[in-house]
Each structure stands twice: as structure tokens, then as C-alpha cells.
Amino acid sequence: MCRVPPVSVLPSSYTVAVERHLTGAGIAKSSVWIYRISLMTWGWMLAGEPAPTGPARRGAKPPVFPVTAIDDPALPEELAELAAARADEMDANTDDRELSIARKAIA
């Protein structure tokens, strides 16, 4: 059984925060893979780097950065711009799925 650190213990990086979320999210193992790819893609965007697309997404690891970076007050606007630009690169179903996964993780 995998132990999830208490919420009061701040994850050391965005990647660690994603893994913690996936461990405690109560989603099917088959969905964890898809969620991980999507949330790691957001990690690239959060780091200000272009996210890989297509098959290259599956094995790509986002840059390591502190999870506190997601507290930046300008982040929602920046992510909206990044998501809009990225929407032009992918089909509507993928875009909708990634936005849905991000909403669930934020909630």
C-alpha cells in the first residue's frame, strides 16, 4: 500500500504534487496514465516551455520547478493564454480532456 503524505506537508516539486494527487484521486488505474500525461503537459506550460505534442508527450518529463510556482497571481491568465495557443495544435477532444483533468486536479 502506498502512503500519501499529509496535505500539510508541501510537495517538493510540481511533479511530486502531481503524483500525490494521482495517488489520492480515487481514479481508475487506466485513467491515471492519461491524467499523468495531461498534468505533466501542464507542467511544461507552467515552466514557460513548449509542451511536447503527439507521441513525444508520453515519455516526456516536465522541467522540475517548485510547486510554490503555482501560487503566482498571474498564473491563471498565463495558463489561459497558453491553453488557447495550444488548442490550435490539437484536436478539440484532447483539448477538452486536458482542461477537464486540470479542473479536477485544481478542485
Side-chain angles (χ1 to χ4, degrees):
M1 182 172 179
C2 183
R3 291 197 56 208
V4 178
V7 175
S8 61
V9 176
L10 188 65
S12 58
S13 69
Y14 175 79
T15 303
V16 171
V18 167
E19 292 305 322
R20 181 189 289 183
H21 168 69
L22 294 173
T23 300
I27 56 177
K29 287 183 181 184
S30 59
S31 295
V32 168
W33 181 66
I34 294 167
Y35 276 57
R36 182 176 289 113
I37 291 170
S38 178
L39 293 171
M40 292 303 175
T41 298
W42 284 102
W44 283 92
M45 293 188 290
L46 285 165
E49 297 185 25
T53 58
R57 293 175 56 182
R58 291 182 183 93
K61 303 242 187 273
V64 176
F65 59 93
V67 73
T68 54
I70 63 176
D71 292 331
D72 182 345
L75 188 62
E77 185 176 321
E78 290 174 26
L79 285 179
E81 290 172 11
L82 289 167
R86 192 163 155 73
D88 293 338
E89 300 171 3
M90 63 180 70
D91 65 83
N93 289 336
T94 301
D95 190 44
D96 288 345
R97 182 175 54 246
E98 286 195 352
L99 289 171
S100 175
I101 289 169
R103 275 191 223 88
K104 289 176 186 176
I106 291 167

